[in-house]
Amino acid sequence: PQVLSTRNDIRDCSTDPPYLPPTATNTTAHLAVLRGIMRTQGVHAYIVPSTDAHMSEYISKRDARLGWLTGFTGSAGTAVVTQDKAALWTDSRYWTQAERELDCNWELQRTTSIESIGMWILKVVPVEGNVSLDPFLFSIDTWNSYSQALHGSGRALLPLETNLVDQAWGDQRPLPSSSEIYSLPAEFTGSSWQEKVAGIRQQMEQHVRRPTAVLLSGLEETAWLFNLRGDDIPYNPVFYSYTLLTDTTISLFVDESRLSAAARESLGSSCPGPLCVELQEYGQVSAHLRSYTQGNVTVWLGTEYTTYGLYSIIPQEKLLEENYSPVMMAKAVKNAHEQEMLRAAHVRDAVAVIQYLLWLEKTVPQGQVDEFSGAQHIDALRRAQEHSRGPSFQSISASG
């Protein structure tokens, strides 16, 4: 048999039996379970994205629905499943990887345009068919693009509150993180969370629309606002949460049992009163928002990090939309203390990099270093620096 180099070891679905590299995942059983659920729900096509409910750039294992369903582990892609077809769309960074990870249940579509996904759906879904998705995993823009792609075609775009992949995954799905959510010490922040809240409320008062609340969906927004950190997503110091900050109340939707004693004390230090943080269950955000928007209110949100699921709860006339929330904009402007901290962090990191370069000069000529051991070594040097909480992404290591 022909020996394939691992670099070119990709699937070949044209032979009988098809050739699959050892890196491919058998997805037959997963697809069968999902299709059974789709049949009972009357769904003709189901769209699965690679995102989470907060539009995060990186996701946790629990949110890796695309990976579980398809075997494809790249960071960006969309899958569509019908009763007899399944296709994955991804960009050129991942074409070779997809050919190595997908089995022959899947067609690879070498594009990411929603237009092309829409055209494929129109070909395989009959008129009057239902196309479904979880509205809490799609941005407002993406939802609108799908809606447009199917508009007037006789196919209905149906949001389903229950995620069908989660149902199929069942108790094999990784559990939510249970690690501690902790307070960032004052020496790193330059301003207390109470000062940040006061600043955002001032912006609400000064805005021509006079919004009564700001809704925060992006994980870094809530982490920044309350000076809290966690590690729910690898390489990102965030935790699953939402915040509804109104002119008189603060609701933080989070798994309360995970807050450190210091974090809990910090959030409750001004209770009762307008600076008292009321802790609510993470899963209650939709119900809470629904009841809040019954009143005479205006909710300010950033469309880039808000899902269509949450957005669609708020009546159109009670919405104030901007690309980014006022918290995201405030977070982007670093105070003098934060700037000083950034510089200090870069100095410490530079020390680690210089130590690494020196080590490479000594050890590479001995033939003892490969890309993997090199990456491990620089990670260790960074960890040894004071205040290190781990790297900001997996080391990208190459030679030659």
Side-chain angles (χ1 to χ4, degrees), residues 85-257:
K85 285 189 165 43
L88 172 83
W89 283 258
T90 190
D91 66 75
S92 57
R93 290 174 299 170
Y94 294 120
W95 292 344
T96 305
Q97 181 178 340
E99 293 286 12
R100 295 184 66 192
E101 293 183 334
L102 297 176
D103 64 7
C104 290
N105 287 311
W106 293 90
E107 297 169 27
L108 175 62
Q109 304 285 337
R110 293 164 188 260
T111 169
T112 54
S113 85
I114 290 175
E115 199 181 5
S116 93
I117 300 174
M119 279 161 64
W120 187 88
I121 289 171
L122 294 183
K123 261 192 260 169
V124 300
V125 174
V127 174
E128 297 193 351
N130 290 329
V131 179
S132 282
L133 45 73
D134 176 347
F136 291 94
L137 292 181
F138 288 83
S139 71
I140 299 157
D141 284 351
T142 306
W143 168 276
N144 290 338
S145 301
Y146 279 112
S147 186
Q148 215 172 335
L150 300 178
H151 181 72
S153 69
R155 282 87 168 166
L157 188 60
L158 278 187
L160 284 181
E161 300 267 320
T162 319
N163 188 292
L164 303 190
V165 174
D166 293 353
Q167 257 182 294
W169 206 344
D171 57 11
Q172 296 302 299
R173 187 180 174 209
L175 293 167
S177 173
S178 56
S179 62
E180 189 176 69
I181 298 167
Y182 57 95
S183 280
L184 197 63
E187 68 198 82
F188 293 105
T189 62
S191 47
S192 68
W193 70 258
Q194 289 91 340
E195 288 168 327
K196 291 177 179 180
V197 164
I200 300 302
R201 281 180 170 155
Q202 192 178 351
Q203 287 191 50
M204 289 159 66
E205 269 172 50
Q206 290 167 353
H207 198 288
V208 60
R209 289 273 313 274
R210 296 300 289 272
T212 59
V214 174
L215 174 66
L216 306 178
S217 293
L219 298 181
E220 38 192 87
E221 298 180 296
T222 289
W224 177 85
L225 186 64
F226 296 114
N227 293 334
L228 296 176
R229 297 292 185 268
D231 60 1
D232 293 13
I233 297 178
Y235 310 109
N236 292 259
V238 294
F239 52 93
Y240 287 102
S241 56
Y242 295 96
T243 299
L244 188 69
L245 170 64
T246 78
D247 39 17
T248 55
T249 64
I250 309 168
S251 300
L252 170 58
F253 301 87
V254 69
D255 177 354
E256 187 181 338
S257 66

Side-chain angles (χ1 to χ4, degrees), residues 318-334:
K318 297 179 179 181
L319 254 174
L320 166 55
E321 298 172 52
E322 286 174 9
N323 285 347
Y324 299 101
S325 77
V327 168
M328 205 52 116
M329 300 304 279
K331 172 185 166 297
V333 182
K334 303 302 179 194

Side-chain angles (χ1 to χ4, degrees), residues 63-85:
D63 284 315
R65 298 174 178 90
L66 189 75
W68 177 82
L69 182 64
T70 66
F72 171 68
T73 60
S75 69
T78 303
V80 182
V81 177
T82 69
Q83 281 307 326
D84 57 354
K85 285 189 165 43

